[in-house]
Amino acid sequence: MVESYDAVVIGSGQAGPSLAVRLAQHGLRTALIEREHLGGTCVNDGCTPTKTLVASARVAHMARRAADYGVRIGGEVGVDMAAVKARKDRVVQASLDGLRAWLSGTQNLDLVAGTARFTGPRTISVGARALTASRIFINTGGRPLVPDWPGLSEVPYLTNVSMMDVDRVPKHMIVVGGSYIGLEFAQMFRRFGSEVTILEHADRLIAREDPDVSATIREILESEGIAVRCGIRDPTVAPHASGVRVDATIANQPLSVVGSDLLLAVGRRPNVEDLDLEAAGVKLDARGFIAVDDELRTSAEGIWALGDANGKGAFTHTSYNDYEIVAANLLDGDSRRVSARITAYALFTDPPLGRAGMTEAEVRATGKPALKGHIPMTRVARARERGETQGFMKVLVDGETKLILGAALLCIEADEIVHSLLDVMSARAPYTAIERTMHIHPTVSELIPTMLGELRTVS
C-alpha cells in the first residue's frame, strides 16, 4: 500500500521541522522523515552543543584572568571536562525534548523514522513503507568531510560530531583545518587546558575573509598559546606512542607534529547519496550539492531542497531562511528569493567575528567608488573597561549611494552588534541613518557612528 500525503519533508534539521509544521497547520497532511535524530546538526553536534562548550571555555579563561580585574581565586583554575560535557548534554536534551513535543503535538503531521529513498518522481520508500506526495522537500543536511590522506585510516580521529562525546581534556590536540569549526574547537580546548596546534592548507586562517581579519584572529589565538601552521602540503598521518603524528611540508620544509588527538575540520559534504535522486529526476551541481533555482526548486517538478544539501549556505540561519522563502512563496502568495538575502554569519571565537555583506576584497573587485571606516577596539571605552580590547571594527560603504556594502566586526559582542548594520543594509537605508542616531553610552555599538564619521576613500 502506498501512503498518500499532501507533503513530505525529508530531514529534521533547521528548515525541516518548521516547514513541516507550517504545512500541517495549513491543512496539508504532512510526513516528516528522519533517519537518525531530530534536530539535525545544529541541535545535536553544531550550534547548540558547541556554543554551550564555548561558554564553559570562556568561564575558565576569564577565571584565569581574574587577577587582571582585582579578583582573587583561591587555588588553581581547573576544568572538569566530564561536568562540562554533562552540562552540554543537558542543554542539548532540553532542546530535543522541546522539538519532539512540538512536532508530536502538531495535527496533520506524522513523524516517520528511517532512511528515505526516491523510487520515482513522487514516491519514496522508508523501510517497508511507501509514501507519495505532490510536494516533497529535501532537508538532509551535511556531514564532516574526511580527507583521503595517507595513513589516516590507521589512526583514530575526531570530527565535530564525535567531539561531542569527548569527556576529557586532551593533552595535545592537532586541529586540521583553520576555518570556522576548527578555530572554535582550537580556542575552546586550549582554554580547557589542552596544548593545541592548528594545521591549515591555505596560506592564512579563514582564507575567505580579508587578510586583516585573518591576521588578527591568528594573533588572538597565538596570544593564548595556540600554535598555527599555515601552508601545509602533502600531509601524512601515522600512529605514535603519544597518539598520532602528522608529517607535512611548509614551503618545501619538513614539518612533524605529534599529538594525543586529531580533529579533522576540513569542510563538509551534503547528505545526498542515500536518496537515489536520479529516480526522482533531481540533479546535482558541479560541487555535488542539489541544484536549485532562486526559489529553491530542484530540477524535478514538485521537489524543493533546503539547507546544507543545496549548497546555498552552510549555516543554521541560512537553512531557516530557506524555510521562510519556501513557505512564503507556497503558502503566503509572496515572492521571496535566495538572491535577495544578504550574506551574514559569525565566527564564535572569543572575541567573535560578525560578518555582513561583502568583504573588502569583494568591494575592491567591483571597481566602484567606495569608502571604508576602521576603528581598533583600543579606542572603544567599553572594551577598555571590560579589559577586552582585541580586534577591530570595519565597514565598507558605496561612495555614491551611501549604502553599506559590508562589515567585519572582530570584537566583543560582534555577533550581536553586527545586526545593527545588517538591518540597515536590509532596509537599504544610507549609512547616515546610523551616523545621525543617538546611541547609548557606554556601549560598543556607540563607536559605529564614530567610525562612519571617519570614512576614507578605498584606494
Side-chain angles (χ1 to χ4, degrees), residues 404 420-421 424 430-439 445 448-449 452:
I404 299 173
S420 65
L421 294 168
V424 171
Y431 76 87
T432 51
I434 298 177
E435 185 188 17
R436 297 172 183 176
T437 298
M438 180 179 69
H439 284 61
S445 296
I448 292 179
L452 292 172

Side-chain angles (χ1 to χ4, degrees), residues 155-156 238-245 258-261:
V155 302
H240 189 274
S242 298
V244 61
R245 187 184 78 243
V258 174
S260 59
D261 296 79

Side-chain angles (χ1 to χ4, degrees), residues 9 30 41 50 70 104 156 169 182 184 192 209 223 235 238 251 256 287 329 349 351 356 430 442:
V9 179
T30 304
T41 296
T50 58
S104 300
V169 177
E184 289 178 24
F192 285 148
E209 305 295 341
S223 73
S256 183
R287 300 179 299 152
N329 293 342
T349 50

Side-chain angles (χ1 to χ4, degrees), residues 6-7 9 17-31 103 105-110 331:
D6 297 309
V9 179
S18 295
L19 180 59
V21 169
R22 185 72 200 285
L23 293 166
Q25 290 175 339
H26 199 72
L28 303 177
R29 185 173 183 238
T30 304
L103 296 173
T106 299
Q107 293 184 349
N108 294 325
L109 177 59
D110 294 338
L331 307 178

Side-chain angles (χ1 to χ4, degrees), residues 121 215 231 236 244 323 325 434 448 458:
T236 62
V244 61
Y323 144 68
I325 290 171
I434 298 177
I448 292 179
V458 173

Side-chain angles (χ1 to χ4, degrees), residues 123-454:
T123 57
I124 298 170
S125 69
V126 185
R129 299 176 64 176
L131 284 64
T132 184
S134 58
R135 294 172 175 173
I136 298 174
F137 307 89
I138 303 170
N139 179 226
T140 49
R143 64 188 185 277
L145 176 67
V146 177
D148 185 20
W149 286 2
L152 187 58
S153 61
E154 307 301 319
V155 302
Y157 58 82
L158 297 161
T159 67
N160 71 290
V161 175
S162 54
M163 283 295 297
M164 296 302 101
D165 295 325
V166 174
D167 59 359
R168 57 186 173 80
V169 177
K171 183 176 181 181
H172 183 178
M173 178 174 289
I174 301 173
V175 178
V176 179
S179 195
Y180 308 96
I181 293 174
L183 298 188
E184 289 178 24
F185 277 114
Q187 187 182 51
M188 177 198 308
F189 274 88
R190 178 58 185 157
R191 291 179 169 189
F192 285 148
S194 299
E195 183 180 352
V196 176
T197 300
I198 298 172
L199 303 179
E200 166 59 35
H201 178 269
D203 292 332
R204 55 188 175 89
L205 299 178
I206 48 173
R208 68 181 291 180
E209 305 295 341
D210 288 322
D212 55 351
V213 173
S214 296
T216 304
I217 288 176
R218 179 168 184 164
E219 291 172 5
I220 291 168
L221 297 177
E222 289 181 332
S223 73
E224 296 189 25
I226 296 173
V228 178
R229 303 288 182 265
C230 292
I232 70 163
R233 298 291 186 272
D234 304 317
T236 62
V237 183
H240 189 274
S242 298
V244 61
R245 187 184 78 243
V246 178
D247 293 306
T249 61
I250 296 180
N252 296 320
Q253 298 300 311
L255 171 72
S256 183
V257 181
V258 174
S260 59
D261 296 79
L262 178 65
L263 168 62
L264 302 178
V266 295
R268 295 177 63 79
R269 61 186 300 178
N271 293 324
V272 296
E273 294 87 351
D274 294 336
L275 289 169
D276 289 344
L277 293 174
E278 289 185 2
V282 175
K283 296 180 180 179
L284 302 179
D285 64 19
R287 300 179 299 152
F289 293 90
I290 298 175
V292 294
D293 65 12
D294 211 18
E295 296 183 7
L296 300 169
R297 294 172 297 200
T298 71
S299 56
E301 183 69 26
I303 301 179
W304 290 255
L306 304 83
D308 291 4
N310 66 27
K312 294 295 184 179
F315 304 99
T316 293
H317 52 276
T318 54
S319 180
Y320 188 80
N321 187 243
D322 284 356
Y323 144 68
E324 293 178 314
I325 290 171
V326 171
N329 293 342
L330 287 180
L331 307 178
D332 300 334
D334 207 339
S335 180
R336 297 183 59 176
R337 297 177 178 276
V338 174
S339 58
R341 67 188 179 198
I342 300 170
T343 299
Y345 55 86
L347 164 66
F348 294 95
T349 50
D350 183 23
L353 168 68
R355 278 271 292 106
M358 303 169 72
T359 65
E360 182 175 344
E362 289 170 336
V363 170
R364 290 177 180 274
T366 67
K368 295 180 179 180
L371 305 173
K372 180 173 75 170
H374 184 283
I375 192 166
M377 295 308 292
T378 51
R379 284 186 57 190
V380 180
R382 187 63 186 277
R384 295 196 302 269
E385 292 154 5
R386 288 180 48 166
E388 299 181 79
T389 57
Q390 293 173 310
F392 61 87
M393 294 189 286
K394 177 173 68 170
V395 64
L396 284 303
V397 171
D398 188 308
E400 296 176 343
T401 66
K402 297 185 179 180
L403 296 179
I404 299 173
L405 299 175
L409 311 182
L410 179 54
C411 61
I412 54 172
E413 315 298 347
D415 49 332
E416 297 288 349
I417 299 167
V418 72
H419 291 92
S420 65
L421 294 168
L422 183 61
D423 291 342
V424 171
M425 294 169 69
S426 181
R428 295 193 62 78
Y431 76 87
T432 51
I434 298 177
E435 185 188 17
R436 297 172 183 176
T437 298
M438 180 179 69
H439 284 61
I440 297 170
H441 175 79
T443 63
V444 177
S445 296
E446 69 171 321
L447 266 292
I448 292 179
T450 301
M451 176 174 57
L452 292 172
E454 299 175 353

